[in-house]
Each structure stands twice: as structure tokens, then as C-alpha cells.
Amino acid sequence: MPSETNPLNVLFLCTHNSARSILAEAMLNHLGKGRFKAFSAGSSPRENQQPNPIALETLRHAGLSIDGLSSKSWDVFAQPDAPKMDLIITVCDNAAGEVCPYWPGQPATAHWGYTDPSEVQGGDAQKREAFVQTLHLIRKRLEIFVNLPATSLSRLSIEKTARNLAQD
């Protein structure tokens, strides 16, 4: 069960680790208040890829820290010296269907699919609105998650709890 001295480590996965997974990492680190530690990665981030600038702008406008956010491969978290994950959540349909690396400790897994805001066609206003809406959807689900009773976050029930949240 998470505590400030022993937070629940959550890894958000997406294909490029530039939008949805970045938004989820920042939001959970904000809402989790030390009980949760969020990370993000991608199955195939592009070389020298950085988080989507509109994602970072959206986070800043929402009052969330963007310190330390970067696009990286999920291979980083499969290394022996990587933080041990308790829960891995895919946030895009592509990453959900890919063969994941072996995760030390066999963490619980869940899929929370969100439409990719970086794929929205139109002008800057439409693109910004898509990122705001995606962040809003992520926030709604994470607010429920971080406020669950500790018994719902035990090792035996965390996967079921996270998967049930995807149904909302």
C-alpha cells in the first residue's frame, strides 16, 4: 500500500512518449502528493524526441510542473537498476497491443485508452483544446485513483482496480 515513504510506482506507456503518457505522468505526480510516483515511457520514441510542446504548454497552464519530463524508451524501465514498478498503464491503443519487455517484479497492468491529441487536425486553437480535453479526462480518472482506499491499492487488487477505472 502506498505511503509517502513507500510510494506506489506507476509507469504510463504510449508509443512515442510525447503527449498522453507525459500528461499522465505530470498529473499523477501532482495529484499523488508523495503517495504515488509516476513515470512515463514509449515503445518507440523517435530519436532525439522531446515532449510535445503543446503538452508542456497545457501542463504549465494547468499549474503542473514540467520539471524532469522527457521522452524515453520503455527499455529504460526494464533495466536491473530501474525503479521497480507497481502498476503499468498503457494510455494509447498502439502500446496496449505491443509485446512489452519483461518488467521486474511482475507489476499489475491496465489499459486506459485516450485519443491522441497530437493527431488532431486544424489550427492551433483546436490542437490546444484537444490537449486540454485529454488532460481533463486523465485528471478525472486519476482523481478517483489517488482517492481510493488503501485496501484497493494492495498488490492483490491494484490490477483489478486500475482496469475497472478504464470502464468509467
Side-chain angles (χ1 to χ4, degrees):
M1 287 182 264
S3 67
E4 288 189 29
T5 57
N6 189 25
L8 189 83
N9 287 337
V10 179
L11 176 60
F12 293 98
L13 296 178
C14 204
T15 304
H16 300 296
N17 188 216
S18 67
R20 293 164 284 185
S21 52
I22 293 287
L23 295 173
E25 175 185 3
M27 183 58 73
L28 181 56
N29 280 330
H30 174 75
L31 295 174
K33 299 183 169 118
R35 291 182 54 227
F36 299 85
K37 175 66 179 146
F39 303 87
S40 69
S43 58
S44 56
R46 296 181 187 108
E47 188 174 332
N48 299 317
Q49 182 167 331
Q50 298 299 312
N52 186 299
I54 301 174
L56 297 178
E57 175 187 309
T58 301
L59 291 169
R60 277 194 301 270
H61 285 183
L64 303 177
S65 174
I66 62 168
D67 292 341
L69 295 177
S70 67
S71 298
K72 61 204 141 310
S73 171
W74 64 13
D75 293 338
V76 169
F77 294 97
Q79 300 298 316
D81 60 341
K84 181 179 163 284
M85 294 300 139
D86 298 296
L87 175 62
I88 296 176
I89 300 173
T90 53
V91 292
C92 71
D93 293 332
N94 289 346
E98 293 175 341
V99 176
C100 295
Y102 169 77
W103 302 109
Q106 299 176 327
T109 60
H111 175 66
W112 294 354
Y114 299 100
T115 303
D116 188 352
S118 63
E119 296 292 322
V120 166
Q121 301 298 310
D124 288 345
Q126 288 93 349
K127 292 177 183 182
R128 283 184 178 86
E129 181 59 24
F131 276 87
V132 167
Q133 289 305 313
T134 301
L135 183 62
H136 174 72
L137 293 171
I138 290 169
R139 181 182 195 120
K140 281 178 44 179
R141 195 169 275 157
L142 287 175
E143 283 177 338
I144 295 167
F145 183 67
V146 301
N147 287 301
L148 290 169
T151 56
S152 295
L153 299 175
S154 70
R155 291 225 184 263
L156 296 176
S157 63
I158 190 170
E159 186 167 84
K160 182 178 184 234
T161 299
R163 288 182 179 186
N164 285 342
L165 281 172
Q167 305 305 313
D168 295 340

